[in-house]
Amino acid sequence: MNSQRNYANELAFRFTKLISSEAAAGILLILVALMALLVANSPLGHSYHELFHHPLSWRPLPRLDTLHAWINDALMAVFFLVVGLEIKREIIDGELSSPARRRLPVLAALAGMMAPALIYLATAGLAEPARRGWAIPAATDIAFAVGVLALLGRRVPASLRLFLLTVAIVDDLGAVAVIALFYTARIDPAWAMAAGAVLIALLACGRLRVPFLSVYLLLGLGLWICVLNSGIHATVAGVLLAFVIPLRPLRRESMLLRLEHALAPWNSFLIVPLFGFANAGVALSGHGAGGSLLDPVPLGVALGLFLGKQIGIFAAIVLADRTGFASRPAGASWLQLWGMAVLCGIGFTMSLFIGALAFPRFPELVEEAKLGVLAGSLLSSLLGFAILRFAPQPGRSGQTTDAA
């Protein structure tokens, strides 16, 4: 009896430790993606589609007429708010706060966005509408990548984990810019001007050091409504709000840090998994999974994530180190850096999001893009994990780290 109780306690301890670890969010995303695929390809597939895409009977905001629209345009605005808060914190006080610190991750992130886009265009072609998906493989999923790193434990140097996080943050900033510049529909001038007015009011609150978070959040809600109706994608409002939230303490604590800490668990364990479940369910029947993956769009997305990310990021690190532009992360071997670059090809959340924006009038291409995202992310996670798992540890067993 005691042995059974001890075994149960040990299981409970291990489960609690897993849930509280960085790996939990990534593991949850993996499970959610698998569940979405299983449901979409089961007898429940039609009900799954109807749940998210059937028009709602009550529409307080006409533009949000389905549950899928509420998730992608409303809940994901909160996701982008958290991303924006993290970016601002890193720029002001973190790894992007000085030119020396941001030199290598910015270069690596830019190369890691350009190479996948070029590989996608070379594969999918320049004809419409396929070329509109060029940005789909350009983004890295932080939760997935960090989750894989956490599963590896101490085999991964802390400097490598920090570098991957920094690259992914710059990557997210680039993805936000791409969404705002290239995936914006026709703009309604009146609503755009209203959004500008609300943004000015938010900036004034920051200048006047208004100490009430509720004021910023209420104005942020108004900003989101204006941006939603302006034609600019509503999630951009989340980033704009994040950039005006003060980081410096106004009373006893930082408003930005308080908001980020409050939203981060909801973001990781509710919003992103719900988005994943609503968007990752691609039906594989009817056209054949193998043949579909070899079509231009899914193949371009998969190759962009799997090959483009690792080529762009690793080549940027080697070039920067060899030319003296910036030094590679301390304590990491070249093999480990390659493994980290491969992991950056995990593009689940942001890639699925951009895929939905790229082909609004071509639902079949959205489904094909999903298949490419899942294939490229799976290959990147498996190869990246294998490289980092079996890479010799620097400074052990006489191994050197200087040979490229």
Side-chain angles (χ1 to χ4, degrees):
M1 188 71 177
N2 289 334
S3 62
Q4 290 180 346
R5 185 181 296 111
N6 291 335
Y7 180 70
N9 291 337
E10 178 67 16
L11 284 179
F13 171 76
R14 290 182 178 275
F15 180 75
T16 303
K17 185 177 180 181
L18 174 63
I19 291 300
S20 61
S21 71
E22 291 176 328
I27 292 173
L28 180 59
L29 275 181
I30 294 172
L31 295 176
V32 163
L34 290 174
M35 187 183 303
L37 280 172
L38 289 174
V39 172
N41 291 278
S42 74
L44 297 174
H46 179 73
S47 299
Y48 167 86
H49 180 82
E50 286 292 304
L51 172 64
F52 292 110
H53 296 280
H54 186 74
L56 299 172
S57 57
W58 183 61
R59 306 177 193 176
L61 295 173
R63 284 181 176 266
L64 304 183
D65 58 350
T66 64
L67 181 58
H68 187 267
W70 274 99
I71 292 172
N72 282 31
D73 289 0
L75 286 184
M76 286 302 285
V78 180
F79 167 81
F80 278 89
L81 170 60
V82 176
V83 169
L85 293 172
E86 186 174 12
I87 290 172
K88 180 175 181 177
R89 174 171 51 79
E90 292 293 337
I91 290 175
I92 295 178
D93 277 343
E95 289 301 308
L96 301 176
S97 60
S98 67
R101 285 183 171 185
R102 58 177 171 256
R103 194 175 295 159
L104 183 59
V106 168
L107 176 65
L110 290 176
M113 294 183 74
M114 292 175 60
L118 292 174
I119 287 178
Y120 173 87
L121 291 173
T123 305
L126 299 177
E128 289 283 359
R131 70 176 181 182
R132 287 184 54 81
W134 64 270
I136 298 173
T140 296
D141 192 289
I142 296 179
F144 250 128
V146 172
V148 174
L149 285 183
L151 292 175
L152 290 162
R154 296 182 180 179
R155 298 193 64 85
V156 178
S159 61
L160 197 64
R161 176 189 172 278
L162 183 61
F163 183 71
L164 183 143
L165 281 172
T166 311
V167 170
I169 289 169
V170 178
D171 194 300
D172 280 346
L173 182 58
V176 170
V178 166
I179 291 170
L181 295 174
F182 298 100
Y183 295 110
T184 293
R186 289 178 295 180
I187 296 178
D188 185 310
W191 280 108
M193 290 177 63
V198 177
L199 183 59
I200 290 173
L202 281 164
L203 290 170
C205 289
R207 293 285 293 178
L208 296 172
R209 300 180 66 82
V210 174
F212 305 109
L213 179 58
S214 58
V215 173
Y216 291 89
L217 295 181
L218 285 173
L219 286 172
L221 178 60
L223 177 65
W224 172 75
I225 293 174
C226 293
V227 173
L228 173 68
N229 289 282
S230 71
I232 302 170
H233 200 272
T235 52
V236 174
V239 180
L240 294 176
L241 175 59
F243 285 171
V244 299
I245 299 291
L247 174 62
R248 303 301 179 190
L250 297 181
R251 287 183 174 177
R252 295 180 180 177
E253 58 182 340
S254 166
M255 189 181 296
L256 185 148
L257 293 177
R258 179 155 53 99
L259 182 60
E260 184 181 1
H261 292 160
L263 292 178
W266 294 96
N267 192 52
S268 298
F269 295 101
L270 177 63
I271 294 174
V272 172
L274 185 57
F275 169 84
F277 185 70
N279 288 273
V282 54
L284 303 179
S285 60
H287 44 257
S292 179
L293 185 57
L294 296 179
D295 287 343
V297 168
L299 185 61
V301 171
L303 292 179
L305 286 170
F306 181 62
L307 295 180
K309 276 292 184 180
Q310 59 175 296
I311 291 173
I313 292 175
F314 189 69
I317 296 172
V318 173
L319 181 64
D321 186 76
R322 291 293 189 252
T323 60
F325 179 76
S327 299
R328 72 180 194 260
S333 68
W334 285 112
L335 190 57
Q336 289 175 322
L337 285 169
W338 176 40
M340 182 275 304
V342 174
L343 282 185
C344 287
I346 303 174
F348 188 76
T349 306
M350 197 71 81
S351 295
L352 290 175
F353 186 77
I354 295 176
L357 297 179
F359 309 115
R361 296 188 300 274
F362 301 92
E364 70 281 359
L365 291 183
V366 174
E367 296 301 303
E368 289 186 3
K370 289 179 184 180
L371 188 59
V373 170
L374 295 174
S377 298
L378 178 62
L379 290 173
S380 297
S381 59
L382 292 177
L383 180 60
F385 181 89
I387 294 172
L388 292 172
R389 172 64 180 82
F390 297 106
Q393 299 295 292
R396 296 184 184 180
S397 303
Q399 298 291 337
T400 63
T401 62
D402 295 327

